[in-house]
Amino acid sequence: MSWIVSFPCTRAEAEALSGEIPALDALDAPPVVVTREIDEDTGLWQLDAYLDDKPDAALLDLLRSLVPSARDEMPIVERLPDEDWVTLSQQGLEPVRAGRFFVHTSSYSGRLPPGTTPFLIDASQAFGTGGHDTTAGCLAMLDRLARRGGTPRNIADIGTGTGLLAFAAMALWPRARVIASDIDPASIFVTRDNAAVNGVPLGRGGGRLALAVAPGTDHPAIRRRAPYDLVIANILAGPLITLAPDIAAATAPGGHAILAGLIARQMEPVLAAYRAQGFRLAGRGGSADWPCLLLVKRRRYGWRRKERAFHRSDPADASFGNW
């Protein structure tokens, strides 16, 4: 049997839980957390956590700590049949239309809109089902870049999550060489499975997706393929700022970077970090709360400049993924 724990929450709390949750990731068997809007008029949202075993008091307190507005609320704890919990976890995930892309889960039984490029991405421990403004904003920005005539031949998706943005880039530019990486090995396994479901070929050559487990750009395969015409990084503002020198070093002169995962008040610090590395702002998309930035690297900066530096972490973290 499986279990579900539910707490009411605010929209801000739900959005804050859209990325990695270190407190849960540290658990031996972390729950799958899904947030969804319950009432549009009142702005009520709900956190649902799906677990393999009945939660103890410590886990309930940990889940409650993720949504401070529910500190005085009693959780709803229910037991579910094993075969139902995955389907139930998808119920709050509506299909997303972003640019030419249509992203849905396996619970969607409707008609695919004509003229769209569909992807089936189920909820998982990896971020990037398309439902959050950051992922949808990146999808729309990729579409916008293609409509502007952009033709990147070498692409890196740093912090790929479910692999969705890498899949979208391959759909737009089917002959490009694409590599997707993530610091979390679980994300690479999720990406591999999603690639099979969506007919995305894995491999090292053009028209195939290479996968690697890596902190930022710190991986031999990522460095060997550089410089990139397009770097996608939908992560968080802090890592985006830290990785600015590395992403600049990996981006070809005249190449583009699509950055997301930041909230509106973090946009200027992120832009300042990338302007210092020779980028300029070429476009803004996403939502008012969650901007998506399109940057262009000025041509006077090159991959071989002496000041290039890659962000280093424990070499043990930079292991190969599945190719």
Side-chain angles (χ1 to χ4, degrees):
M1 303 295 286
S2 298
W3 295 79
I4 178 174
V5 177
S6 300
F7 281 102
C9 66
T10 65
R11 175 181 177 179
E13 290 168 339
E15 291 175 340
L17 296 173
S18 62
E20 296 180 1
I21 309 175
L24 298 184
D25 293 341
L27 300 175
D28 292 335
V32 174
V33 172
V34 178
T35 57
R36 55 197 176 99
E37 189 172 26
I38 301 299
D39 190 324
E40 185 175 354
D41 293 332
T42 63
L44 179 63
W45 285 62
Q46 182 168 300
L47 175 151
D48 294 324
Y50 295 86
L51 310 100
D52 292 330
D53 301 309
K54 184 177 181 179
D56 57 20
L59 182 53
L60 292 177
D61 288 341
L62 177 57
L63 291 170
R64 182 184 284 107
S65 72
L66 301 177
V67 284
S69 65
R71 61 182 177 273
D72 297 324
E73 300 285 343
M74 290 296 294
I76 299 173
V77 181
E78 297 179 294
R79 196 174 187 180
L80 301 171
D82 284 337
E83 65 271 21
D84 287 345
W85 81 269
V86 173
T87 300
L88 289 171
S89 72
Q90 309 280 352
Q91 289 180 352
L93 299 178
E94 295 296 326
V96 173
R97 179 80 177 264
R100 72 190 70 187
F101 302 108
F102 183 78
V103 187
H104 63 95
T105 67
S106 56
S107 64
Y108 176 71
S109 58
R111 181 170 174 262
L112 297 178
T116 61
T117 301
F119 291 109
L120 193 164
I121 304 290
D122 276 330
S124 67
Q125 294 181 42
F127 175 62
T129 60
H132 194 274
D133 285 350
T134 59
T135 310
C138 287
L139 289 171
M141 188 63 77
L142 286 167
D143 183 64
R144 179 176 171 183
L145 180 61
R147 294 184 188 278
R148 285 183 175 183
T151 56
R153 297 181 180 179
N154 195 18
I155 302 170
D157 180 15
I158 307 300
T160 193
T162 62
L164 174 58
L165 298 181
F167 302 164
M170 294 180 70
L172 292 170
W173 302 288
R175 296 184 180 180
R177 298 176 75 223
V178 183
I179 186 168
S181 69
D182 203 286
I183 194 172
D184 184 0
S187 290
I188 296 303
F189 287 115
V190 168
T191 297
R192 179 199 61 189
D193 293 343
N194 285 337
V197 168
N198 289 280
V200 176
L202 301 181
R204 301 185 181 184
R208 294 182 177 274
L209 177 63
L211 302 177
V213 177
T217 61
D218 191 9
H219 193 286
I222 298 174
R223 294 195 295 271
R224 187 166 56 245
R225 286 169 169 250
Y228 296 94
D229 306 309
L230 173 61
V231 176
I232 308 162
N234 180 20
I235 42 180
L236 296 171
L240 283 175
I241 292 172
T242 300
L243 290 172
D246 299 354
I247 289 177
T251 306
H256 290 85
I258 293 176
L259 309 181
L262 58 150
I263 58 178
R265 63 181 171 81
Q266 297 168 330
M267 186 175 72
E268 286 305 321
V270 170
L271 278 175
Y274 283 81
R275 283 172 175 147
Q277 299 298 324
F279 285 91
R280 65 175 176 84
L281 181 64
R284 174 182 169 173
S287 66
D289 294 332
W290 296 91
C292 177
L293 308 179
L294 176 66
L295 308 181
V296 177
K297 185 177 177 183
R298 299 183 188 276
R299 293 188 179 277
R300 69 175 178 267
Y301 286 81
W303 166 250
R304 298 297 179 187
R305 75 188 193 281
K306 292 182 180 179
E307 65 267 27
R308 92 169 180 270
F310 282 98
H311 175 63
R312 297 290 177 181
S313 184
D314 184 349
D317 291 335
S319 57
F320 280 95
N322 295 279
W323 297 79

